[in-house]
Every structure is written in structure tokens, then in C-alpha cells.
Amino acid sequence: DALKRVVDYPLVGIDYETNMLRPYPKDSRILSAAVSTKARTFAFPMRHPEVKFSAREIDQIEKAWEGLLYSNNTKIVHNLSFEQEWSAEFYGEGVVWGTQWACTQAQAFIIDNRQGALSLDHLVMEHFGLALKGHSNLDRKQMERVPLADMLPYNGLDAKYARRLFI
């Protein structure tokens, strides 16, 4: 229901946490996803090992997420190629070509392309004075082992600050 309510927001930050860098291997999974609007940010598990959703519940989550991806709003991310590649692989190429996307990393490159100046952590520190990644000590190379209680806030902050950076 929460995903269905954000479809009509014009600008939404989104972010994935995955078990690998690329979505093509057979065992690749989106572990969690996050959405941020002006009023609210939330993250939710998808195919994380801790999740004990039924097949029906997973189907409902996947359909609601797909509805958001195909909606007419602008999806704001920090590394466009990552979110689009995963979205296209799991939800079809129409999410790439048939909807609006914005990338804060591309925006940052145009403004300041110095080495290190393009990371989300650097940009959030520069614009908001917050050490975003300093709030968590996650092993980002082994996200399947990260407890959901730690992963979801981390995921939500990425979506929230991508959206705030875009604005």
C-alpha cells in the first residue's frame, strides 16, 4: 500500500541493495529497495535471506514495485546505470526507456568531476554536512550477510539523500 501511495509523487528517490554488482548471474537478487518522497522515506526487504514472505506476498511486493518503476514520476538515483540495469533485468527494458530518470552522480560530474567528488557520501557531506556512510559500518561487498535491521536504514538514507541532492 505504501508503494501505491508514492506513485503520484512527481519526484521519488529510489535505491537498491543487491547481493552482487551485476544482475545477470542466476543467483543475483535485489535484497531491499527504498523510496523517498518529500514527506517520507521507507525501505523494505525484497529477497534478503532473513525474509520469510510467502510467494503471494513476494508477488504483491514485486507488482507494487513494478508499478512504481513504470509510473510517470521521475525516479532519482545516485548511480543511474546501476539502478537501471537491475530494474531492466528484473522488470523489463520499458523501465529504462518508458519512464523518467535522474542521476545525482551525473549532475555532480558536470559541476565538479574531481576524483572522489562524485560519491554520495562526499556530496552529502558537502551539501548537508552529514557523513552519510559514517552512520553505518556495513560490509557492502557481502550485503546478504548484513542484518535487515542494519540494511534497511542504510538503504533508506541513500534514497532520501539522492532525492535531496537532485533538488
Side-chain angles (χ1 to χ4, degrees):
D1 289 343
L3 284 170
K4 291 175 186 173
R5 285 194 295 270
V6 300
V7 166
D8 294 327
Y9 280 83
L11 302 172
V12 294
I14 68 168
D15 186 67
Y16 289 136
E17 298 306 330
T18 64
N19 67 330
M20 52 187 66
L21 186 59
R22 305 296 295 274
Y24 307 111
K26 190 171 116 177
D27 56 346
S28 64
R29 288 191 297 287
I30 297 172
L31 303 173
S32 68
V35 179
S36 185
T37 66
K38 182 178 182 180
R40 155 177 213 217
T41 299
F42 62 93
F44 55 95
M46 292 181 84
R47 296 192 182 266
H48 189 280
E50 286 181 29
V51 171
K52 304 298 182 217
F53 293 137
S54 69
R56 181 176 170 267
E57 291 168 325
I58 290 171
D59 188 54
Q60 288 175 326
I61 292 167
E62 295 280 351
K63 283 183 177 161
W65 183 251
E66 187 173 5
L68 174 63
L69 291 175
Y70 278 94
S71 66
N72 289 327
N73 56 22
T74 300
K75 271 70 69 193
I76 302 163
V77 299
H78 185 68
N79 181 356
L80 184 63
S81 61
F82 182 84
E83 263 78 17
Q84 278 191 338
E85 186 175 34
W86 279 85
S87 296
E89 182 65 16
F90 283 86
Y91 304 101
E93 291 181 10
V95 299
V96 175
W97 308 113
T99 184
Q100 298 282 331
W101 291 83
C103 179
T104 55
Q105 191 173 56
Q107 286 178 315
F109 180 82
I110 292 167
I111 296 167
D112 183 359
N113 65 4
R114 289 176 297 145
Q115 182 71 24
L118 302 180
S119 74
L120 184 61
D121 196 39
H122 171 88
L123 292 166
V124 170
M125 176 58 85
E126 180 179 356
H127 292 279
F128 303 107
L130 174 67
L132 188 62
K133 303 300 180 182
H135 288 281
S136 59
N137 189 21
L138 306 184
D139 183 355
R140 295 192 302 258
K141 293 182 181 180
Q142 306 249 347
M143 290 301 274
E144 281 181 301
R145 295 183 179 165
V146 173
L148 275 174
D150 297 330
M151 181 185 294
L152 295 177
Y154 174 87
N155 196 183
L157 285 172
D158 283 0
K160 178 177 183 165
Y161 281 97
R163 185 184 181 284
R164 291 189 72 192
L165 279 170
F166 176 76
I167 293 166

